[in-house]
Amino acid sequence: MKPHLTGGFELRGTDAHETRLLVHPAFGYAIAVPGHARLVAPTAELPRYGAVLALADGPIEIGLRMDEVPTAIAPDAIAAALALAYARSRALDPDAIKGSALDGRVLARGADAGTRATYVLRGEDPQAMEFLALTTKAAAPIVHALHLTVRYRRTDLTPFAWASLRSALLNHQSWDPERLPSTTLWPASTMVAGSVSFELSAAATAEARAKAADIGTVTPEEVGRLADLLLGFAGTDDAPTMPMHAFVHELTSRQVAAAVPPRIAEVLVRNIADVASMHDLRAWSWQCFWAVGNRAELAKIN
């Protein structure tokens, strides 16, 4: 089983477009890439890529390669095997890698199977991370295998910004040439920019500071529960454009109220009605996370 690497990627749109389509016309694959992406030369000889994109809006590099694998192995099995082999060749701790299947929500339209993994990259930078999403499509007697990698540093992206970018990429892929992915990745928002920068608006930043001033004392145990809860809200695979309805506001408020005393919950959820999309929910979660981490009592202690 010897994979054959093919190039053939085309980046459509111009440098002025916030979101562009990267297309492999020969195999019908396409992905919408945000961040004012531009094709760049690979920074290293290995791993080999068919296309490497740098994002002007953040220190992020995206690599893609298409392999043709002559095999009779089922697409799901070959996806898992190829993903594990690739990740183990790149990771600082190969034994710590735990891949997981890409389910129907984030498996590229028209693909047969997929696997993903996230790991610390081998090298001198302990903050260097790589995310791998490998999808396969059978075309007997071969299987097409698409490697999508995203490289970033943990200190350059909050978990909330990373969840936003990851979900946008996964939800805007297609192996169906008749149905290219939408380039509308970000919904209108009063809380956060429609960008990989994930910058809170002036109003949302002001509210984060107000929550930090109003939240009062929070115990270490309460901080831990809130962190787990807020990271959980943001860390799903739901696309940024997914609408948030009133029942989500109620459920979110109930979960916060179950984790901390009422005086804390009331401050955090007081603007939950402003959350209109998944993009907003991640912004609101980041707003609350920041407020807890910068609460007034910490300034008094320091």
Side-chain angles (χ1 to χ4, degrees), residues 85-108:
Y86 183 93
R88 288 180 65 87
S89 73
R90 302 277 291 154
L92 177 65
D93 184 359
D95 294 332
I97 295 170
K98 294 182 180 179
S100 61
L102 291 168
D103 63 24
R105 291 186 304 156
V106 289
L107 181 63

Side-chain angles (χ1 to χ4, degrees), residues 213-290:
D214 296 344
I215 199 171
T217 300
V218 187
T219 68
E221 293 77 14
E222 291 162 352
V223 170
R225 289 198 296 271
L226 280 172
D228 289 344
L229 196 61
L230 295 169
L231 290 169
F233 291 154
T236 71
D237 287 330
D238 295 321
T241 52
M242 180 178 173
M244 294 285 112
H245 301 292
F247 77 89
V248 178
H249 300 161
E250 178 65 22
L251 178 61
T252 301
S253 298
R254 287 180 180 273
Q255 289 178 281
V256 174
V260 293
R263 61 175 177 79
I264 298 174
E266 288 171 5
V267 170
L268 295 179
V269 305
R270 65 190 181 192
N271 65 331
I272 191 66
D274 294 339
V275 172
S277 66
M278 189 66 214
H279 200 42
D280 285 343
L281 183 60
R282 291 189 174 107
W284 176 86
S285 298
W286 169 227
Q287 179 188 78
C288 294
F289 191 94
W290 187 94

